Amino acid sequence: MPMKYAIRRKDRAISPEEAFALLDAAEYGVLSLVDADGSPYGVPLNHARVGNTLILHGSTTGRKMDCIRRESRVSYCAVGKTEPVREKFTTRYESVIVSGRAELVEEPEQKMKWLLRLCERFAPEEKPNHLDAAKAFADRFMNETAVILVAMESITGKANP
């Protein structure tokens, strides 16, 4: 996957493999969108990744959905560990930024497929039949739940260990 922009602090760049690992480990990120009037809009979401696709979800209505329907280009930023180093006036951190295009999944069977992939990441696997429980839960809210797939076009990561 190509990187569109060069990182200014090349000494802090992490490899694409490390960026994917950070994205996989991060509990949530911020989806950045553009509103109809050109104003920025960022919304925190949890995510899962399958290959070069991010899986997100939310309500079928609202500002986020309006933005995506109007403009599919999005950015998603996730931050891993952070730690202020006060005596050096800096912060140890790790972060990843993804750019891509968002697509709303409309077909119910496909929505369920992607929701279950998201649940696989967050549902407690030690519970018996956790995916059956996730499917039953998703079935109850299918009409109100939007599934957003982001086809990743670029990924960059930085760290100050």
Side-chain angles (χ1 to χ4, degrees):
M1 174 177 318
M3 293 195 308
K4 289 185 175 184
Y5 301 98
I7 294 176
R8 184 183 61 82
R9 291 288 309 262
K10 293 184 186 341
D11 60 316
R12 295 192 178 167
I14 60 176
S15 71
E17 294 77 23
E18 291 169 309
F20 281 123
L22 174 55
L23 187 61
D24 292 342
E27 291 185 28
Y28 71 95
V30 176
L31 180 66
S32 296
L33 308 155
V34 178
D35 218 335
D37 65 0
S39 58
Y41 177 58
V43 59
L45 299 167
N46 58 27
H47 63 275
R49 181 180 70 90
V50 175
N52 288 337
T53 301
L54 273 182
I55 309 164
L56 310 170
H57 79 292
S59 173
T60 57
T61 61
R63 188 175 180 187
K64 174 177 55 196
M65 291 300 121
D66 291 345
C67 290
I68 290 171
R69 285 184 181 103
R70 198 172 20 263
E71 174 57 68
S72 67
R73 292 177 297 172
V74 299
S75 178
Y76 190 78
C77 176
V79 177
K81 297 177 208 152
T82 63
E83 178 188 359
V85 184
R86 289 173 174 79
E87 66 276 9
K88 294 185 178 182
F89 304 100
T90 191
T91 300
R92 290 187 184 99
Y93 66 88
E94 53 186 15
S95 63
V96 61
I97 298 175
V98 168
S99 294
R101 295 205 176 257
E103 169 193 353
L104 299 175
V105 178
E106 304 291 346
E107 200 277 314
E109 285 182 25
Q110 287 299 309
K111 279 174 69 169
M112 181 59 74
K113 170 190 150 183
W114 292 108
L115 279 174
L116 290 177
R117 293 302 296 263
L118 189 63
C119 289
E120 284 175 7
R121 177 160 189 229
F122 293 103
E125 292 181 26
E126 61 275 0
K127 284 189 170 181
N129 304 318
H130 74 284
L131 285 180
D132 291 338
K135 185 176 185 321
F137 183 81
D139 272 337
R140 284 192 1 234
F141 296 101
M142 184 62 68
N143 291 335
E144 301 125 28
T145 303
V147 173
I148 305 154
L149 301 181
V150 176
M152 293 187 276
E153 296 174 348
S154 70
I155 186 167
T156 57
K158 285 175 57 174
N160 182 17

